[in-house]
Amino acid sequence: MSLKPWREIATPHKDVLAGTFKQSEFAADITQVANGEAPSEYQGAQQFYARTYITEGMHLLLESVAQRLASQGGDPVVQLQTAFGGGKTHTLLAVYHLASRSVPTSQLSGIPPLLDEAGIAELPKARVAVIDGIKLSPSQSRTYGQQTINTLWGELAWQLLGEAGFEQLADSDRDGTSPGKEILTNLIRQAAPCVILIDELVAFIRQLEIGKQYKAGTFDSNVSFIQALTEAMKSVPNAIMLASLPESEIEAGGTMGKRALEALEKYFARVESVWKPVATEEAFEIVRRRLFENPGDRAEVEGISRKFSDFYRKHAEKFPLETQSNEYFERLTRSYPIHPEIFDRLYEDWSTLEKFQRTRGVLQYMAIVIHRLWNTDNRDALIMPGTLPLDDSNVRTKSIHYLPQGWEPVIEREIDGSHSVPPFEIDGHDTRFGSVQAARRTTRTVFLGSAPAAANQAVRGIQAERILLGAVQPGQTVGVFEDVLKRLRDRLHYLYSEQDRYWFDTRPNLRREMESRKQNISDRDELQLLIKSRVTRVFGRNHHFGGIHVFTPSVDIPDDYGTGPRLVVLPTHAAYSRGENNPAFTDAEKILYNRGDQPRQKQNRLIFLAPDFDVVSRLKEQGRIYLAWDSIVTDIENGTLNQDISHLNQAKRSRDHSEQSLNQLIRETWKWLIAPLEDFIKGKPQLVWEAVQVSPSAPNLIQAIEDKLREEEWLVYEWSPIHLRNLLKQWYLKDDTKDVGALKVWQDTCHYLYLPRLVNDQVFLNAIVKGIETEDYFGFAAGKDGERYLGFAFAFGSGNIGVLDESSLFIDREAAIVYRDSLKRDRANQKERNHTDTTFPADMEEMDDKGESSASGSDDVSIPDKASSFKKQFYGTVSLDPIRAKMDFATIIDEVVQQFTAKLGVDVKISVEIQAQSKEGFDEALQRAIKENCNVLKFLTSEFEY
């Protein structure tokens, strides 16, 4: 397919063709125009409008100016605020020529329909005052004839009404003090219809140091003047003021510039109408009008644009989605002969550079490009990113002017210089590439799309689909450019790639080496071990879990009551998915129901943390990248891989960056906390999985997990006795059952998923202690002998219930009340008898009003003084058979310790001393296991000795 070259359809302006333009002429100077010293294209109103594209924003502004001058409404104050080089001064010039025109409005291109739309038959000519902050100096006066003027307000009065106007403000000008609003209102009313144009106001006021007096006044007096002037403009219906302010603090310049900008924005905000002149899409026409005398016949332009649009639609999967709409065809037409991708990259990427001046910068850059392409007889259908002649010294110099140092050798060697061997070799050795200059067009496109990116950007580079968009023309084979991109990636030392993104950098790369190593990494032997170790690291030791099991087989996850529930971290293949098939639930269910080949009993002691299915693949890829970079660093350091220190530093940075990304992905991956529950359906328990996300950004993962468990009530840290009473009534104390084993209830909460999941037995014990403080919940007994409750406690007040064992009982509240009343009756009957003994049976001990045992003796027997005759301390030491220690220790607790803990006010301390000796010594595995268990059990000391 043969497409007509752009040079045969469009014609650049003569100064662009000849290269005789001056870059400074692209920067409009409003003072030169006001003084009659500007180039003809800016000085003459007719010529200016002939080369000016009236954007939608400019149309609205000029309409408002015309309405204001004709006393038909409009805004009194307009603030022009946009980025540096964004068209502010050009807009001021458009207003200047409209107000002070030397030719009828009928000769100004685009103005007659604008006035018709505004309903203005005849636009009055207006006085225009131009205040240029860059041209004026706070310390130097200006002389007009015999008159010396110092201040902005003096300059304004002179330009509007000459000598007569200045006399009204002479005193204020001499003293450097702001004139009042009334004086300014009278001045403007006399000059009306009038237009006041203020450019670079911040540049003037930022020179005024705080507290220092200048000929032009002080900082405060100048800000006060602006405040009074903006207020005065509202009082005169046929006067308007336009002022340009920088868009950013960087453009404002320094501390004083920022302060001046803040002060001026505050006062302008009271009355002004903010207008931002140039939208990105409108820049197409602005640039085209300034650079091209004739952009081409409409039919031919649309024909070429249609060929490109159809080509993009034919290969829709290869190009960005935006190219598939009819709107992109319109963009091609509006920007012809420049491809829209050039505008997108310059306006979206290059305009982020501090020195790049948006529209003005684009004009300067493209003028140089078009001049070079015209002289070298470029035959492309459009001027595309792949067309940029970076081999030309002027184009290359202008390109790197905006970039950090170090880019010239990169362009020279690998992109488009006379010594850029790889692109020239690739094009020269294969006619498929050489016939369309595929390698050079591709490197140019990557440069334009990636060079402005900051080195610390999270996502760098230009996508492959945009490289194709900037390089391929209709009739060319897309696959050729895809192939050449891969070859460039494998050969160039400054080209980086990640997934489908490519970018140039001033630093050489080691990516080819890394990619090669990444492919050889074993998923099972290396990658899984790395991921397991990194996941294990994120959990601290300060938590309530009985254990955290990372990628642990079910047989190695204990089935016990433990000191807390166990957190099971599922491996990557057991990821949580929102789809119908959920590997996390499948694997978790196997662990929940089985410990190896045996059924698991304590199912309610397990909580699961699962990886996110959508992130696992990225995690694995990042893990391989890290391992590859880590091996490169190791090989460079030990000399196996011969690289210099810069390569070593680059590899370390890449390794550290990949490690940081890996650690972040670890948190982003393991974020699904899942808990097994049971709901009763038709009287039968059915397993239900509930899942909730843990924030990856939480500073402490284990704390975030516990907080989420507490929030979802999947883990109970504090249990109210009312909940314990309800549980007893629902499941145990029903159908005339008066008591139930307390230990059984605790163990059941560890077994069954439909019961509450408590952190540990202490939570259970605390609920019991609180419950027996009043008679609202239940009673408690240490045991039962026939119909007699041993250690009966009900409405007990504060106290200790002792050790929870198989004899411990919960007593139904009503039954406890009956039993307590019977004890009170027995006590009353006993007092009526004549006592002969000093002790009573346990169930006949004196009860106080709350039901506590008082253990008082007979009234008839003399009892020695407690303080003098009762012993106050007990010590006991016993040696236990290590084989039977568990059974014997339980007996000691039941028969000795519980006798003390059942009494109020008794402080019991138990210390366990363990000694073990072996003639052959203890191996490392045993020592490690013992030490870990001692730490978990909070031993005060635990040491091995020789």
Side-chain angles (χ1 to χ4, degrees):
M1 181 188 297
S2 178
L3 296 178
K4 196 171 184 178
W6 65 270
R7 62 184 296 114
E8 296 181 9
I9 298 175
T11 306
H13 281 295
K14 294 179 180 179
D15 56 350
V16 176
L17 288 176
T20 57
F21 58 86
K22 297 178 181 178
Q23 293 183 10
S24 60
E25 291 182 359
F26 284 104
D29 189 320
I30 193 169
T31 299
Q32 288 184 354
V33 174
N35 295 337
E37 301 171 351
S40 58
E41 63 190 67
Y42 288 115
Q43 190 65 57
Q46 189 172 359
Q47 189 175 356
F48 174 84
Y49 272 101
R51 302 182 71 171
T52 296
Y53 172 66
I54 299 179
T55 65
E56 181 181 359
M58 185 182 291
H59 180 97
L60 295 174
L61 174 65
L62 293 177
E63 184 177 329
S64 179
V65 170
Q67 290 174 336
R68 189 72 181 173
L69 294 179
S71 300
Q72 296 183 15
D75 299 306
V77 178
V78 177
Q79 179 195 150
L80 301 171
Q81 190 172 51
T82 188
F84 190 41
K88 293 177 293 189
T89 305
H90 197 91
T91 303
L92 292 176
L93 284 176
V95 175
Y96 177 91
H97 285 303
L98 179 65
S100 65
R101 63 197 177 281
S102 56
V103 296
T105 55
S106 60
Q107 297 183 24
L108 302 181
S109 177
I111 296 301
L114 184 150
L115 295 178
D116 292 340
E117 185 177 332
I120 299 174
E122 184 175 354
L123 181 67
K125 187 175 180 180
R127 291 186 175 91
V128 180
V130 175
I131 306 297
D132 190 341
I134 292 180
K135 298 299 188 292
L136 302 178
S137 170
S139 300
Q140 295 180 355
S141 303
R142 292 161 306 281
T143 302
Y144 299 100
Q146 300 297 319
Q147 197 62 259
T148 299
I149 297 176
N150 301 306
T151 63
L152 292 181
W153 44 96
E155 182 74 21
L156 174 65
W158 181 270
Q159 290 192 35
L160 287 178
L161 295 174
E163 186 79 33
F166 179 75
E167 286 299 326
Q168 300 180 43
L169 308 179
D171 293 340
S172 295
D173 182 80
R174 183 180 60 254
D175 298 337
T177 58
S178 173
K181 171 186 172 183
E182 184 177 350
I183 295 177
L184 289 173
T185 301
N186 292 334
L187 176 72
I188 295 169
R189 185 174 286 114
Q190 294 172 36
C194 64
V195 175
I196 300 172
L197 304 177
I198 303 180
D199 196 14
E200 305 292 354
L201 181 58
V202 170
F204 180 84
I205 295 182
R206 71 187 177 200
Q207 301 177 66
L208 306 173
E209 295 183 19
I210 301 296
K212 189 173 181 180
Q213 178 72 40
Y214 296 83
K215 289 184 178 181
T218 64
F219 179 91
D220 291 334
S221 65
N222 277 267
V223 172
S224 297
F225 163 66
I226 295 300
Q227 180 183 7
L229 180 60
T230 56
E231 294 292 333
M233 297 304 297
K234 295 191 297 183
S235 303
V236 184
N238 55 345
I240 184 171
M241 178 175 75
L242 289 82
S244 69
L245 295 180
E247 184 178 52
S248 66
E249 292 185 351
I250 294 177
E251 295 175 51
T255 303
M256 286 304 300
K258 295 176 184 177
R259 183 164 185 170
L261 179 59
E262 290 174 359
L264 293 172
E265 284 182 327
K266 180 173 65 176
Y267 293 124
F268 273 110
R270 297 182 178 181
V271 293
E272 49 85 9
S273 174
V274 178
W275 175 77
K276 295 190 176 183
V278 181
T280 302
E281 291 295 320
E282 294 171 329
F284 292 172
E285 186 64 26
I286 294 174
V287 173
R288 188 166 72 166
R289 278 200 188 202
R290 179 58 188 88
L291 298 179
F292 290 92
E293 184 177 299
N294 175 21
D297 178 72
R298 178 71 180 179
E300 286 189 302
V301 169
E302 289 186 353
I304 296 293
S305 300
R306 179 58 65 189
K307 294 286 182 61
F308 273 85
S309 181
D310 291 344
F311 179 69
Y312 296 148
R313 293 183 180 185
K314 180 180 179 181
H315 304 280
E317 73 282 0
K318 303 295 185 181
F319 296 100
L321 182 62
E322 69 208 51
T323 62
Q324 305 307 300
S325 67
N326 192 61
E327 172 60 25
Y328 203 77
F329 164 73
E330 296 294 337
R331 294 187 74 202
L332 286 163
T333 303
R334 290 198 303 270
S335 65
Y336 185 89
I338 301 173
H339 195 285
E341 184 66 7
I342 286 186
F343 285 110
D344 288 344
R345 300 286 63 80
L346 292 177
Y347 274 91
E348 293 177 15
D349 302 334
W350 287 73
S351 63
T352 61
L353 299 173
E354 184 176 345
K355 294 184 291 184
F356 195 86
Q357 304 174 9
R358 285 185 66 82
T359 302
R360 191 183 306 169
V362 174
L363 282 169
Q364 294 174 352
Y365 188 68
M366 293 309 299
I368 300 174
V369 169
I370 293 168
H371 171 71
R372 172 65 178 176
L373 293 177
W374 187 270
N375 289 338
T376 55
D377 195 29
N378 177 264
R379 311 295 294 180
D380 286 347
L382 287 178
I383 300 173
M384 306 173 67
T387 313
L388 299 180
L390 294 173
D391 58 333
D392 178 72
S393 60
N394 290 328
V395 175
R396 184 165 64 248
T397 300
K398 193 63 180 177
S399 300
I400 64 177
H401 170 72
Y402 305 109
L403 300 173
Q405 291 185 348
W407 278 99
E408 185 163 10
V410 177
I411 297 175
E412 181 70 20
R413 297 172 188 171
E414 296 203 338
I415 298 177
D416 200 19
S418 57
H419 301 291
S420 56
V421 177
F424 274 90
E425 283 186 350
I426 292 173
D427 282 342
H429 294 168
D430 192 325
T431 56
R432 293 185 306 134
F433 304 140
S435 61
V436 292
Q437 295 188 348
R440 277 170 288 174
R441 291 179 67 86
T442 300
T443 54
R444 295 165 185 163
T445 304
V446 175
F447 170 78
L448 183 69
S450 66
N456 59 356
Q457 259 183 269
V459 179
R460 294 194 65 188
I462 179 173
Q463 292 174 294
E465 60 183 15
R466 292 210 167 271
I467 297 174
L468 297 177
L469 180 63
V472 188
Q473 298 185 86
Q476 298 174 347
T477 304
V478 176
V480 168
F481 288 84
E482 291 178 313
D483 190 10
V484 84
L485 185 58
K486 295 176 183 177
R487 298 198 183 195
L488 290 168
R489 179 193 63 189
D490 294 338
R491 292 196 57 180
L492 299 185
H493 294 154
Y494 294 92
L495 179 64
Y496 291 74
S497 68
E498 185 172 340
Q499 296 180 350
D500 70 332
R501 305 186 76 93
Y502 296 80
W503 69 93
F504 278 108
D505 204 328
T506 55
R507 299 168 299 175
N509 62 60
L510 281 169
R511 184 160 297 278
R512 288 174 55 197
E513 178 70 20
M514 186 277 293
E515 292 287 346
S516 175
R517 296 188 179 211
K518 185 180 70 173
Q519 303 302 323
N520 298 323
I521 291 174
S522 168
D523 188 74
R524 184 185 65 181
D525 297 334
E526 297 177 77
L527 183 59
Q528 288 301 319
L529 289 176
L530 169 69
I531 294 176
K532 180 177 181 179
S533 69
R534 293 311 170 99
V535 172
T536 304
R537 287 185 190 181
V538 302
F539 301 104
R541 299 182 61 180
N542 187 20
H543 54 76
H544 290 88
F545 292 105
I548 298 177
H549 307 278
V550 181
F551 307 172
T552 306
S554 66
V555 69
D556 295 328
I557 301 174
D559 185 20
D560 59 6
Y561 299 108
T563 58
R566 297 188 177 275
L567 181 65
V568 180
V569 183
L570 299 177
T572 53
H573 68 264
Y576 177 85
S577 171
R578 296 177 178 86
E580 294 183 2
N581 297 323
N582 200 318
F585 291 166
T586 303
D587 274 51
E589 186 171 336
K590 293 178 181 177
I591 298 172
L592 180 69
Y593 286 147
N594 300 283
R595 183 188 181 197
D597 297 332
Q598 301 298 318
R600 184 176 297 277
Q601 302 297 324
K602 289 80 173 177
Q603 297 175 6
N604 211 27
R605 302 306 284 163
L606 299 184
I607 296 288
F608 298 88
L609 185 67
D612 189 290
F613 183 84
D614 295 332
V615 188
V616 165
S617 59
R618 286 196 292 133
L619 172 74
K620 289 184 176 181
E621 178 70 9
Q622 192 61 46
R624 294 188 186 95
I625 291 173
Y626 166 75
L627 288 171
W629 281 119
D630 188 54
S631 67
I632 290 174
V633 170
T634 301
D635 288 351
I636 294 177
E637 288 179 334
N638 61 28
T640 305
L641 186 63
N642 186 18
Q643 297 287 344
D644 58 21
I645 189 65
S646 64
H647 286 88
L648 175 60
N649 291 336
Q650 176 198 348
K652 286 182 176 179
R653 284 193 298 269
S654 298
R655 179 199 60 187
D656 294 344
H657 177 72
S658 62
E659 183 176 25
Q660 182 181 1
S661 299
L662 175 64
N663 292 337
Q664 179 61 36
L665 276 173
I666 292 288
R667 292 293 303 272
E668 292 180 9
T669 304
W670 274 271
K671 64 180 181 181
W672 287 104
L673 198 59
I674 58 178
L677 305 171
E678 281 184 341
D679 286 341
F680 278 81
I681 301 176
K682 295 182 179 180
K684 295 183 178 180
Q686 297 290 330
L687 177 63
V688 176
W689 289 101
E690 291 194 2
V692 67
Q693 286 192 48
V694 178
S695 173
S697 61
N700 186 324
L701 176 60
I702 196 67
Q703 184 61 49
I705 289 174
E706 292 207 48
D707 290 343
K708 186 62 69 173
L709 290 172
R710 188 193 302 266
E711 177 185 330
E712 298 292 331
E713 298 184 353
W714 292 346
L715 197 57
V716 179
Y717 290 79
E718 296 180 4
W719 207 24
S720 170
I722 186 62
H723 297 308
L724 176 54
R725 168 180 162 80
N726 292 339
L727 182 143
L728 293 173
K729 296 293 288 184
Q730 181 180 4
W731 298 105
Y732 301 99
L733 301 179
K734 57 183 181 177
D735 301 330
D736 296 328
T737 302
K738 296 181 179 180
D739 54 52
V740 64
L743 184 61
K744 169 180 169 54
V745 175
W746 155 245
Q747 292 175 346
D748 284 353
T749 64
C750 299
H751 289 194
Y752 303 118
L753 300 174
Y754 56 83
L755 295 180
R757 184 182 293 109
L758 308 183
V759 171
N760 50 42
D761 58 355
Q762 190 60 49
V763 175
F764 189 74
L765 291 172
N766 290 342
I768 297 175
V769 171
K770 291 180 181 179
I772 62 176
E773 289 179 356
T774 71
E775 59 181 30
D776 298 331
Y777 306 110
F778 46 77
F780 181 83
K784 191 175 183 180
D785 184 9
E787 296 299 320
R788 203 159 45 91
Y789 288 114
L790 306 177
F792 174 73
F794 182 62
F796 198 65
S798 61
N800 192 329
I801 64 171
V803 176
L804 200 67
D805 58 20
E806 295 181 354
S807 301
S808 303
L809 295 172
F810 285 118
I811 306 171
D812 181 70
R813 175 178 176 272
E814 285 71 22
I817 292 174
V818 172
Y819 186 75
R820 182 194 62 185
D821 292 345
S822 69
L823 290 179
K824 287 184 178 180
R825 286 194 302 272
D826 291 344
R827 184 187 63 180
N829 293 334
Q830 186 69 21
K831 286 184 177 180
E832 295 177 359
R833 301 192 187 103
N834 193 12
H835 299 291
T836 58
D837 296 327
T838 59
T839 60
F840 299 95
D843 61 324
M844 296 299 293
E845 291 176 351
E846 183 177 353
M847 302 289 292
D848 63 13
D849 291 338
K850 293 183 178 180
E852 296 184 33
S853 297
S854 63
S856 61
S858 170
D859 294 337
D860 299 333
V861 180
S862 175
I863 299 177
D865 180 75
K866 296 181 181 180
S868 60
S869 61
F870 283 8
K871 296 180 180 180
K872 300 179 179 179
Q873 292 185 338
F874 167 80
Y875 301 96
T877 303
V878 64
S879 296
L880 302 180
D881 183 348
I883 305 300
R884 302 181 65 255
K886 184 174 182 180
M887 182 183 305
D888 291 346
F889 197 80
T891 303
I892 292 171
I893 294 297
D894 292 341
E895 303 300 330
V896 179
V897 176
Q898 189 174 333
Q899 300 295 325
F900 292 117
T901 57
K903 302 293 184 181
L904 293 177
V906 179
D907 184 14
V908 180
K909 295 182 180 178
I910 302 174
S911 297
V912 178
E913 180 177 317
I914 302 173
Q915 293 184 354
Q917 295 179 342
S918 172
K919 294 181 180 180
E920 298 178 356
F922 304 110
D923 59 39
E924 292 293 332
L926 178 62
Q927 292 185 46
R928 184 169 57 255
I930 296 296
K931 293 289 287 183
E932 290 179 355
N933 291 337
C934 289
N935 288 335
V936 171
L937 295 173
K938 301 181 179 179
F939 274 46
L940 297 178
T941 58
S942 58
E943 298 293 340
F944 284 90
E945 298 179 351
Y946 289 99

